[in-house]
Structures are given as C-alpha cells and as structure tokens.
Amino acid sequence: MTLEEKVAQLTAVPARYMALDESAAESAVHLLDEDGNINRDNARELIGDGVGHFTRLGGGGSLEPERAAEVTNELQEMVQEETRLGIPAVPHEECLSGYMGPDGTTYPQGIGLASTWNPDLVEEMTTRIREQLQAIGTVHALSPVLDVGRDPRWGRTEETFGEDEYLVAEMASAYVRGLQGEDPTEGISATVKHFAGHAVGEGAKNRSSVQIGERELREVHLFPFEAAIRETGAESVMNAYHDIDGVPCAKDRSLLTGILREEWGFDGTVVSDYFSVRYLDDEHGVAADHYEAGIQALEAGMDVELPQVAAYDKLVDAVENGDLAEETVDVAARRVLRQKVEKGVLDDPFVDVDSVSEEFGPDADRDYARKLGRESVTLLKNADDLLPLVGEEDVAVVGPKADTPEGQLGDYAYAAHYPERDANREVVTPLDALEERLGDQVTYAEGCTTTGPATEGFEDAVAAAEDSDVAVAFVGTRSAIAFSDPEADMVEQPDVPTSGEGADVTDLQLPGVQQELVEELHDTDTPLVVVQVTGKPHAIEWIDDNVPAILQAWLPGEEGGHGIADVLLGDHNPSGRLPLSVPKNVGQLPVYYSRKPNSRNENHVYTDEDPLYPFGHGLSYTEFEYGEVSLSETEVGPADTVTASVTVENTGDVAGHEVVQLYTHQDNPSLARPVQELRGFERVHLEPGESATVTVTLSTAQLAFHDTDMDLVVEPDTYEVRVGSSAADIESTATFDVVGERYEVPSSGRAYFSDSSVEE
C-alpha cells in the first residue's frame, strides 16, 4: 500500500458533508445529493485512494432502508472497481435506541432500558437492531453509551444506564452481546463510548473539562469499559470530547494506548467522536492547527477520524515532512483492515436489497418495543392504591407530553434527532393509547407547552379534570440535539429542548409552567396521577408531597404510549426500578447512593442528604416479603467466592416482578470507600403466594479497590452483605470475613460480575 492508501483507511466520508458553519456547507463536496443519489464525480474525489468508513449513509442520508442498501452496494462497488486496491469501506450508523434512520424501530432511551434492570431484554433488543443494520449493509455501530451519569443537569443523562458503574457495565455488556453476536462475520461491531468520564464535566456541561482523581476514574468511569472490553469483547471504542486534568481524551496516549491497549489488551479500532480531532485545535487549543491535531490524535492511539476528514488528510504531509513516523500510520491502518477482514467486508461487502423489507416495515418489532416500554415504567408513589385505574372512570388526560409523538423519544432517535425530516414511523402517544382503550371516557386538554410562560390552557385542563373521575397529567422535557443557545428570549419559547446532547440545565424543576399546571389540577380535588415522560429526573418534592400517584416513564420509544397505558390500566404490573437517585432539589446534588461517608452523612441547611427517591426504588401493585439472607461461608480467602441466598415471597394479590439487589459494605477500609456498592441483582417474577430463592455468587475479587500505590487489592476485613429492594430499603444483612494477607489481584483474576440464579 502507498502512504496515501494507508492514510485513506483512517478517514471517513459521510452521506453529506457535515458542516460546522454555513460557509463551509456552501463549498462542501457531498457524496449524495439532496435526492439521495450518488454524485459519482464527488465520490471519485472523496474515495480515490480508498476510505476507512462510510458515515451514516442511511441515517445521515435520510434514505429509506431499501435505498440505503442500494446506495451502500453502489458505493462499495465503486470502491472495489475504481480504486487501485479495491478495499471496501466500513459503513457505520447510530443505534442508541434503535437504528437511527428512516423506518428504524425506536425503543426506549438508554435510561429507560436501565430501568428494566434486565440485561436479557437489552440483549434481545440489540439482536433485533443488529438485524436491521445488517439488512442495509452496516457493519459498525456507534453505541452503546457507558458514561456513568451522576449529575442530571447534564443533558445526556438520558443516554446513560444510570449512576452506578456495576449496573452500567451489566446493561452495556448485554447491549454489546446483542449487537456483536457470537460470530464476528455475522455481527455488528459495537462502539463503547465516551472514553472516558464524559458524564462528570464541570457544571454538568457537555464537553466541559473533567477534574477527577485516578482512583475514581478507574473504579467508576473506566470500570464499565474494562468489563465490556475484557469480558464481552467490544470491538470498538470512541473517545470523549473533554479533557481530564488538562489532557484532552483525543490526544491522551496514556488513556487510548496505555490503559486501553497495554493494560486491557484491546485490539479493536478506536474511532473519534465526531469532530473531536479537529477540536484539539478549534476548541482545546492544544494543537496549532489541524495538521498538528491529526498527529497528536494518531500518536495517542486514535485510528479513524470521524465523521469526515478534517485533520487526517494532512497525515501524508506529516510523514513526508518527518513529523510523523510512517510506522504509526501502519499500526492504525492494520487495525482498520483487520476489522474489515473480521467483519467479512473484504470477502463480500454487498447485501441483498430484495430482502431488506423483511426487517423493516410499520409493524417491525413493535410488540417488542411495547414490551420494553412498559417494563421501563417505574411506579414512584401510589398512595391509597389509586393505581391501577379500573378502566371504568372518565379520565382527563392533560399536559404537554400527552400527545407529542417526538416527545416520547430520546435525542438519538431519528425523529427527535432530525425533527424536520420524515421519520416514516408511527409513534404512539399516551393519548393515542388511552383513547384506543377507553374511547369517549377520555377528555384531553394540553394545558401548557413544555417550556415558556403561557398559561392560557390552564382553564381547559382544569375543566377537564373537574368533569372527570381521575386526571392524568403527562409532564416532562423535550429531548433533542440542542447545543444550548443562551439567547434571552428562549424562556419565552414553547418547546425548547432541556434534555439531550447539548441541552444542559441549571435547574431540575419541571420546565416552563408545568409545575403550576399540576398545582392547578391538584386544587380541583379530582384524584391526580402524574406521569413524567422525560430524559432526566426532576426535582418534584411538592408533587411527591401532594399528588397520590406518580409514574416515571422516561422516554419510552415509539410504543411508549401503549406501554404507559398498560401500566396505568393494570395490564402490566409496574416493574421498573430507578437506575439513579432522584434529588429533592438541584442544590442537593450529588445524591448518588454510593458516596463516601462524609459526603453521604453531612447535611445542607434546611435539607438532609436523603434523595427524594433512592437508587433501585420502584413500587409494584403487589407486595413482596424477604426472608433472612444466608451466606455459604463466614470466612473466605482473598481469592475465593461467597454465595448469598434469600427467599422472596409475593404476599399480594397479583403477579409481579421484584428486583432483588445485593450491596456490600466494608467495615474498616484503609481508604475512604463508598458507603455501599451494588454487587449483583436478579429480577424474579412471582405469582400471588409464590416464593423463590435468589442466589448470588460473589467473588471476593469484586471487593477490590485501588490502594495508595494504585494497585488493585482485596483487604482482609469484615464485609456486610445487604439485600433489599433499593439502596435505601435493605431487608436483610449478613457478614463474612476475608482472612489472610492483603491480596493484590492479578489481571487474570479480575472479576466484574457476580453470578445469580432463581430457584422456585
């Protein structure tokens, strides 16, 4: 290969040039025209020496699935026939909540998936996503998100699997398994992102600097990545935008090469988050120009620049000028070529266009989307058993999230990402679902918009509530790719995104006048249910004090309306559990459950340190009773295992799911440690009167932490096992001792997950 051909393997070409400003767009060379046809002269210019990736041909090109497959085939044929080496490209797409393109099935957003506490459901979902991606010729996916979200002001909290590194690792690993499958040639390369610590930027602002110690970085924010790579075999990694203590992740060799490859043995490809290579110059200022930015990123271990070339096209000059070793280019090019071999792209890059329709269509995977939607719904409060509704009441359906299709979707769903484009998918709103089930018993009034000060709709909403037996208020936020605009008149606008990428906030109250709407409805004395359809937890202390029933529906996807209705009307017993703690107010942050003792126990004036709803919380329409937890051993060695068993009984009148959660606490650690840490969980379904024994086998290596020398060690000490229904609702405890000498855990002895089982 010539130097030019090797560098070409490190570049990407999007469906249309992705401009950061209008002037660049006007002079850009586009691969596809506005009608989705290939501009062959432009294509020859863009891929003359070959290309590494095609960037989002289907989603970015707004192509219907059959056309996406046709275009992918045509471009792969061009690369084969019109370049010297004929090496096909790696087509990639986004799929955070389903394939992010026209007619892709849209599932709940990540935070909703985490609320199921069911990795098997997620693996089955991504198996279905894999089938849609493969049908259009995609072999690489820019998902899942492994950021540990502990500050809900951050707009991208909705993309995460929550605040706990163990839960994030479990859900993300399941996501990877479903996408990649068991055979590399039959699977889609999953990209774990954003590497690393992206969720803890200063001020909870997207892309802002991260100030964090190495111990917390490794034990919390790197843990899910390490598990997904070493245990699950994730094939690709995407860097984060920010800097950590002044070093941008895009040029951090200690992160992208030292930890990732040398410590963990990762041998896949590292792809840049979109534009992050050029941001070394444009945003961070650590590179003098794009030429220098490209050198810095490649030398750090960044293999492919996405979404398009801005810096890596200068790598040829950098080698010829003596500023970059050609061997560095060779290493990255080999990784890209190896992926193409492993995914079967070199053997056969084409797909059968005639079979694409089998994976798509208006009914594709809708039943499964509904299943996920209802299982992600979390019942936060249910005073006097107001829910479920018996189905005979006249119901007032009010609020700005009751009848907005795009309002049910997360920021990386196609219809939310590109609201101006035709998504070609029906999204069932809560109003749609309730009217389908209850007909004329439903009266609808919007009441207000998601943002803005207008209250003109209050009168109709109050009248609807007064004339009904029960009122259900759907409130929350709109999610979108926003990139916050500080213009003063935004407070007047009716539908400003306050969740999603770039939509970072300083206030966790319900936006606009939604709180006032709820207060007006409360004053009618009509029984009131509040359903939050949102990408983040809100500070709803007044609502919790005054409203009898509260549901958290997150952003439940295209069948979310049916999923919510299934819970409201009792066709599904709510089984979601919170993947993060809900604060009483924004000033109380942080409230994540696993803080260290001095953070957990010190109070603010007027406010204690208890969250409004704790991590793991979620109610049911039935009741569960726990027995005493028993341990297989009371003394174990530092490289041993201990098994915890507990019996759970459904003592209520209806069948339901309980999520049994196991936490540990170290009695006398040598360093300040979290007050407790999640070590395992099991979701169990029980009929009325039925009981089951849940068993969790815990490796003592899971108790390890990094000591003052940053060695991973297990300390001899007394450890308490805590079993319960949330981090705050511990039903039973038991202790065991780790005996022997302080044990340094070898790389081969690392344990990431416990094993669990259910015996009925």
Side-chain angles (χ1 to χ4, degrees), residues 154-329:
W154 187 50
R156 302 188 80 167
T157 297
E158 66 176 59
E159 300 177 24
T160 76
F161 293 125
E163 72 180 37
D164 179 76
E165 65 273 15
Y166 184 93
L167 180 62
V168 171
E170 280 272 30
M171 304 303 281
S173 293
Y175 200 112
V176 171
R177 286 194 298 270
L179 275 183
Q180 295 190 170
E182 297 181 359
D183 182 348
T185 62
E186 299 297 326
I188 302 292
S189 289
T191 303
V192 289
K193 61 183 185 181
H194 307 86
F195 194 62
H198 191 40
V200 288
E202 291 180 333
K205 291 182 291 186
N206 197 46
R207 307 209 311 251
S208 63
S209 294
V210 168
Q211 310 299 335
I212 192 171
E214 183 181 358
R215 184 170 293 102
E216 184 174 343
L217 177 66
R218 283 181 175 271
E219 294 180 358
V220 176
H221 301 284
L222 293 182
F223 177 84
F225 290 93
E226 185 176 359
I229 289 165
R230 298 190 67 186
E231 288 283 288
T232 318
E235 296 174 359
S236 181
V237 173
M238 175 182 281
N239 73 288
Y241 283 118
H242 59 263
D243 67 275
I244 300 176
D245 194 25
V247 183
C249 295
K251 63 165 288 184
D252 190 345
R253 181 173 174 79
S254 67
L255 184 68
L256 300 182
T257 297
I259 292 175
L260 181 61
R261 297 193 184 278
E262 295 172 0
E263 287 189 29
W264 298 350
F266 176 69
D267 63 358
T269 59
V270 176
V271 300
S272 78
D273 204 345
Y274 283 13
F275 308 108
S276 63
V277 176
R278 66 177 294 173
Y279 283 161
L280 293 173
D281 170 24
D282 299 345
E283 183 165 280
H284 294 289
V286 297
D289 49 30
H290 291 179
Y291 174 96
E292 190 173 304
I295 296 172
Q296 290 179 355
L298 188 69
E299 289 185 335
M302 187 88 71
D303 298 318
V304 182
E305 181 184 14
L306 301 181
Q308 61 207 14
V309 66
Y312 275 21
D313 59 338
K314 300 164 181 63
L315 295 179
V316 172
D317 290 341
V319 172
E320 292 177 344
N321 293 339
D323 294 325
L324 175 69
E326 186 168 353
E327 290 79 6
T328 305
V329 174

Side-chain angles (χ1 to χ4, degrees), residues 109-126 143-146 159-162 164-179 192 223-224 227-228 232 372 375-376 577 579 615 659 678 681 683 753:
Q109 183 67 306
I111 197 69
L113 296 174
S115 297
T116 69
W117 288 60
N118 192 336
D120 291 342
L121 282 180
V122 174
E123 183 174 349
E124 185 175 348
M125 179 195 78
T126 52
S143 293
V145 169
L146 276 65
E159 300 177 24
T160 76
F161 293 125
D164 179 76
E165 65 273 15
Y166 184 93
L167 180 62
V168 171
E170 280 272 30
M171 304 303 281
S173 293
Y175 200 112
V176 171
R177 286 194 298 270
L179 275 183
V192 289
F223 177 84
T232 318
L372 283 171
E375 296 210 13
S376 67
R577 301 294 185 267
F615 174 80
V659 178
L678 182 69
F681 60 88
R683 185 181 172 101
F753 304 120

Side-chain angles (χ1 to χ4, degrees), residues 65-66 69 103 132 135-136 352-362 364:
E66 289 84 354
D103 207 25
Q132 291 196 333
I136 62 171
D352 181 3
V353 175
D354 293 335
S355 67
V356 173
S357 60
E358 297 174 9
E359 303 299 338
F360 290 89

Side-chain angles (χ1 to χ4, degrees), residues 17-177:
Y17 185 82
M18 301 175 69
L20 296 177
D21 57 73
E22 292 184 6
S23 60
E26 293 174 359
S27 59
V29 175
H30 298 288
L31 187 63
L32 305 183
D33 63 24
E34 289 301 317
D35 296 322
N37 299 311
I38 299 170
N39 186 316
R40 290 188 171 264
D41 289 337
N42 288 355
R44 293 184 183 98
E45 177 182 345
L46 292 167
I47 61 176
D49 290 314
V51 65
H53 279 231
F54 286 135
T55 293
R56 301 190 51 245
L57 296 175
S62 296
L63 305 179
E64 295 298 324
E66 289 84 354
R67 183 57 185 152
E70 290 172 349
V71 166
T72 300
N73 282 349
E74 291 172 24
L75 286 169
Q76 297 285 37
E77 184 178 25
M78 281 194 70
V79 177
Q80 281 192 328
E81 295 183 355
E82 299 191 30
T83 65
R84 187 179 74 90
L85 298 176
I87 301 173
V90 170
H92 77 249
E93 293 285 350
E94 294 273 10
C95 65
L96 182 63
S97 56
Y99 162 52
M100 197 178 85
D103 207 25
T105 307
T106 303
Y107 302 97
Q109 183 67 306
I111 197 69
L113 296 174
S115 297
T116 69
W117 288 60
N118 192 336
D120 291 342
L121 282 180
V122 174
E123 183 174 349
E124 185 175 348
M125 179 195 78
T126 52
T127 298
R128 293 163 185 258
I129 293 172
R130 177 192 354 141
E131 292 165 353
Q132 291 196 333
L133 293 176
Q134 288 174 324
I136 62 171
T138 300
V139 300
H140 188 116
L142 303 185
S143 293
V145 169
L146 276 65
D147 303 322
V148 179
R150 293 181 166 179
D151 191 334
R153 296 177 300 167
W154 187 50
R156 302 188 80 167
T157 297
E158 66 176 59
E159 300 177 24
T160 76
F161 293 125
E163 72 180 37
D164 179 76
E165 65 273 15
Y166 184 93
L167 180 62
V168 171
E170 280 272 30
M171 304 303 281
S173 293
Y175 200 112
V176 171
R177 286 194 298 270

Side-chain angles (χ1 to χ4, degrees), residues 580-612:
L580 40 67
S581 307
V582 177
K584 293 170 180 170
N585 57 67
V586 71
Q588 196 189 20
L589 295 173
V591 295
Y592 62 90
Y593 84 91
S594 56
R595 286 167 287 160
K596 296 181 178 67
N598 57 343
S599 176
R600 175 64 183 85
N601 298 329
E602 294 296 327
N603 296 326
H604 294 93
V605 177
Y606 303 126
T607 304
D608 62 27
E609 286 304 293
D610 293 330
L612 185 61

Side-chain angles (χ1 to χ4, degrees), residues 605-634:
V605 177
Y606 303 126
T607 304
D608 62 27
E609 286 304 293
D610 293 330
L612 185 61
Y613 306 111
F615 174 80
H617 172 73
L619 303 178
S620 172
Y621 293 154
T622 191
E623 299 291 334
F624 298 96
E625 184 175 303
Y626 284 69
E628 294 296 320
V629 61
S630 62
L631 302 181
S632 60
E633 308 287 343
T634 57

